[in-house]
Amino acid sequence: MTKQIQADVVIIGGGTGGCSAALGAARSGRSVIMTEEYDWIGGQLTSQVVPPDENRWIEQFGCTASYRTYRNAVRDYYRRLFPLTEQARARAALNPGNAWVSRLSHEPRTALAVLRDMLAPYVHSGRLQIWTGYKPVRAETDGDDVISVTVCGQDGDKLVLTGSYFLDATEEGDVLPLAGVEYVTGAESAAETGERHALAGPADPQDIQAFTHCLAVDYTAGEDYTIAKPREYNFWRSYQADFWPAPQLSWTVPSPSTLTPVTYVLLPEEGANPLFTYRRLADRSNFQPGVYKTDLSVVNWPQNDYWLGSIIDVSPRERQRHLESAKQLSLSLLYWMQTEAPRKDGGIGYPGLRPRPDATGAPHGLAQAPYIREGRRIRAEFTVLEQHLSPADRPDGRAEKYPDTVGIGSYRIDLHPSTALRTFIDIPSLPFQIPLGALIPIRVNNLIAAAKNIGTTHITNGCYRLHPVEWNIGEAAGMLAAYCLDNGITPREVRNSPQQLSSFQTRLRNNGFELEWPSIGVV
């Protein structure tokens, strides 16, 4: 069955950027359709089970007002509905998981509930339609304009979506090849970009960062939840990359920033750097006794990064093979921890590790979707380069200032091992702005990048891909589409007209966008 639906703004992809784009466009008075391939909207925050990675100033500044609303709502969700301890309830900066890499580590189900609540007024009023379980399969264009995007449901039915503006908020930039939008993938050459850490040789479109299929677990000593031996266990048990200091299934990995070997432990009582608390989703010490039998954590560690092949622009068969192998790697890591991992007390294995499918909404405790760090990127009106934000290239200690800024962000240039078997690149970056030109394709008039698919390079994608930045990108894209409709102009005309650009930036500020970093306290 095929059905046609129309809206002012069509958003393909209901991840972190897609949800904020829907919020921005609907709040601006526009009718919106948002589709999402998986059962849960939210992307990194939900279906991929990745708690927020954020800048170190996030509690004070460094995000949009709506992202701050999201953060506050997560804390309020636990305060309203959960029997917290008095100490946890009184803590203004409550961290439900007390993870040591996130100030707001929380469960994906919480994120899903909060996102649904934030979008509820627009859904209930009919201004926003959300279609989950739909994947883009076709686009129709007329010259430099997108006319429609067709999405296919899990049962084979199709929706033909028409609108004035189309936002690609998918994890991999799925709309770009369907609509013939110019894009790049993989690693650029230094000859092309002038970046210090770009490839010395030719560009490699298939040299793409590892992706990870995350896994939710809890742990109870003395119990046995050992899973069946995964099909690819023997391979992963013996695999060791040339750039890795130990077998893939071990406690020893490279430090991302120094590449020196680091040996972790599993549990806090075993010593420093316990992986179980690294991205812990729920710390039972925050709750009254008995609420949580044990802590809940997510396995998103160096050991289950998958880099043995790209899933971008390859045959469906090859793509499926790598997606399945990434799942097998995560399950193999779990099985190794349950049965063979050395313990600090001299014993072997942690059979009390239990996969938690109830926490992820998918079998075996695996995330519904793989965590995608890098996909297709538009060839944009402006491309962010390493030299725009690397301290090594900025003697004044400030990142490039963009007159067309639509937001701010900060994160290290954090590249995981790649499909070309290159190791980590983890280097500093300066707090940066998000240029409007990076959201606008070089040719197509009515498509806007709204997630990790903006005009960055392989290198700068490493600091523009995290939660608050993707949220800011998506929300700005949604508001840009609404502004263009209000004024009868294109995104390119907004950027190229000082008067329109200033007016649009004023609208962003009035809606709680921070367009530049404060001069005090950010170094």
Side-chain angles (χ1 to χ4, degrees):
M1 182 180 71
T2 300
K3 180 179 181 181
Q4 185 164 317
I5 311 177
Q6 188 274 338
D8 294 331
V9 180
V10 176
I11 303 169
I12 307 298
T16 301
C19 287
S20 63
L23 187 67
R27 186 182 60 215
S28 300
R30 291 295 167 177
S31 61
V32 181
I33 296 168
M34 181 176 76
T35 67
E36 166 55 32
E37 178 178 355
Y38 295 94
D39 291 339
W40 289 356
I41 61 171
Q44 294 188 72
L45 293 165
T46 59
S47 60
Q48 298 173 32
V49 197
V50 183
D53 276 314
E54 302 170 319
N55 67 70
R56 54 181 163 152
W57 304 281
I58 194 66
E59 297 296 342
Q60 290 77 41
F61 50 82
C63 64
T64 70
S66 68
Y67 185 75
R68 191 163 304 287
T69 296
Y70 169 82
R71 299 180 88 255
N72 292 337
V74 167
R75 287 168 172 155
D76 289 344
Y77 182 88
Y78 286 98
R79 291 192 181 102
R80 285 188 298 108
L81 301 175
F82 287 71
L84 298 170
T85 64
E86 291 183 10
Q87 296 89 337
R89 187 174 298 279
R91 198 173 299 130
L94 172 66
N95 187 344
N98 284 330
W100 48 278
V101 296
S102 175
R103 294 173 179 83
L104 190 65
S105 185
H106 55 282
E107 298 168 72
R109 289 176 290 189
T110 300
L112 179 64
V114 169
L115 290 171
R116 284 174 170 168
D117 284 352
M118 291 180 71
L119 295 171
Y122 311 107
V123 173
H124 287 218
S125 67
R127 188 179 297 172
L128 168 63
Q129 298 181 55
I130 300 175
W131 295 81
T132 58
Y134 283 84
K135 180 179 175 61
V137 295
R138 184 176 181 273
E140 181 183 358
T141 60
D142 181 8
D144 296 336
D145 293 288
V146 180
I147 302 302
S148 69
V149 174
T150 300
V151 293
C152 186
Q154 295 168 349
D155 59 359
D157 67 311
K158 293 181 178 178
L159 304 175
V160 179
L161 309 176
T162 59
S164 298
Y165 280 90
F166 295 83
L167 276 54
D168 186 343
T170 61
E171 301 299 322
E172 301 170 41
D174 292 339
V175 180
L176 306 182
L178 297 175
V181 179
E182 292 83 356
Y183 68 90
V184 296
T185 62
E188 294 90 349
S189 69
E192 176 187 357
T193 67
E195 295 173 305
R196 292 171 183 263
H197 291 87
L199 294 180
D204 185 352
Q206 284 295 303
D207 184 6
I208 296 172
Q209 280 191 75
F211 68 93
T212 303
H213 213 113
C214 301
L215 174 75
V217 295
D218 62 18
Y219 175 72
T220 304
E223 297 189 10
D224 188 345
Y225 299 103
T226 303
I227 64 172
K229 183 178 178 180
R231 184 179 65 258
E232 295 184 15
Y233 181 73
N234 290 339
F235 170 80
W236 290 114
R237 183 66 183 85
S238 61
Y239 175 74
Q240 181 177 348
D242 291 342
F243 56 84
W244 215 251
Q248 187 78 9
L249 305 186
S250 74
W251 297 128
T252 301
V253 301
S255 164
S257 57
T258 68
L259 303 182
T260 56
V262 177
T263 299
Y264 290 94
V265 295
L266 180 64
L267 303 173
E269 55 267 26
E270 293 180 321
N273 299 327
L275 286 170
F276 193 83
T277 56
Y278 181 56
R279 296 186 183 275
R280 182 170 51 188
L281 302 171
D283 178 359
R284 68 184 184 278
S285 71
N286 278 326
F287 304 89
Q288 295 288 346
V291 176
Y292 282 78
K293 181 181 178 182
T294 182
D295 296 355
L296 176 65
S297 189
V298 60
V299 180
N300 177 13
W301 307 338
Q303 293 96 325
N304 63 327
D305 277 2
Y306 182 85
W307 56 70
L308 289 188
S310 168
I311 58 173
I312 308 292
D313 291 347
V314 297
S315 70
R317 182 176 180 180
E318 183 175 356
R319 174 183 170 86
Q320 189 55 43
R321 177 169 66 86
H322 292 309
L323 288 170
E324 180 58 31
S325 287
K327 292 181 180 180
Q328 284 288 308
L329 170 56
S330 290
L331 292 172
S332 293
L333 177 58
L334 172 61
Y335 184 76
W336 173 81
M337 290 191 292
Q338 290 175 325
T339 62
E340 296 190 60
R343 301 196 308 256
K344 277 290 185 176
D345 63 6
I348 297 293
Y350 298 83
L353 280 170
R354 176 177 62 163
R356 289 287 302 273
D358 59 309
T360 65
H364 314 301
L366 291 165
Q368 293 179 26
Y371 171 33
I372 304 296
R373 296 181 176 87
E374 179 183 349
R376 302 173 184 88
R377 307 182 295 277
I378 62 168
R379 288 199 180 275
E381 289 282 296
F382 182 86
T383 300
V384 180
L385 305 175
E386 181 181 356
Q387 49 267 38
H388 293 145
L389 46 75
S390 168
D393 294 300
R394 311 295 300 183
D396 63 352
R398 297 283 170 177
E400 185 84 8
K401 290 197 72 173
Y402 304 120
D404 62 343
T405 175
V406 292
I408 60 176
S410 181
Y411 202 75
R412 290 176 66 84
I413 296 174
D414 173 14
L415 276 71
H416 286 233
S418 74
T419 54
L421 301 183
R422 292 191 297 131
T423 190
F424 292 97
I425 298 175
D426 190 314
I427 54 177
S429 76
L430 297 164
F432 51 79
Q433 294 174 314
I434 303 166
L436 176 60
L439 281 62
I440 303 173
I442 57 173
R443 179 184 57 84
V444 177
N445 295 318
N446 67 335
L447 182 136
I448 305 170
K452 296 187 284 284
N453 53 353
I454 66 169
T456 57
T457 64
H458 174 73
I459 300 298
T460 56
N461 161 267
C463 59
Y464 273 78
R465 64 180 174 81
L466 281 305
H467 303 66
V469 179
E470 183 182 345
W471 184 290
N472 189 317
I473 291 166
E475 189 175 0
M479 291 191 64
L480 177 62
Y483 183 87
C484 289
L485 287 166
D486 291 347
N487 292 277
I489 57 178
T490 67
R492 195 169 291 106
E493 290 171 326
V494 174
R495 180 173 185 254
N496 293 334
S497 164
Q499 180 180 355
Q500 293 291 354
L501 177 61
S502 176
S503 176
F504 177 57
Q505 289 173 324
T506 297
R507 182 180 289 195
L508 293 179
R509 288 191 182 96
N510 290 341
N511 280 272
F513 280 65
E514 296 170 350
L515 301 189
E516 59 186 20
W517 285 94
S519 58
I520 299 174
V522 179
V523 295

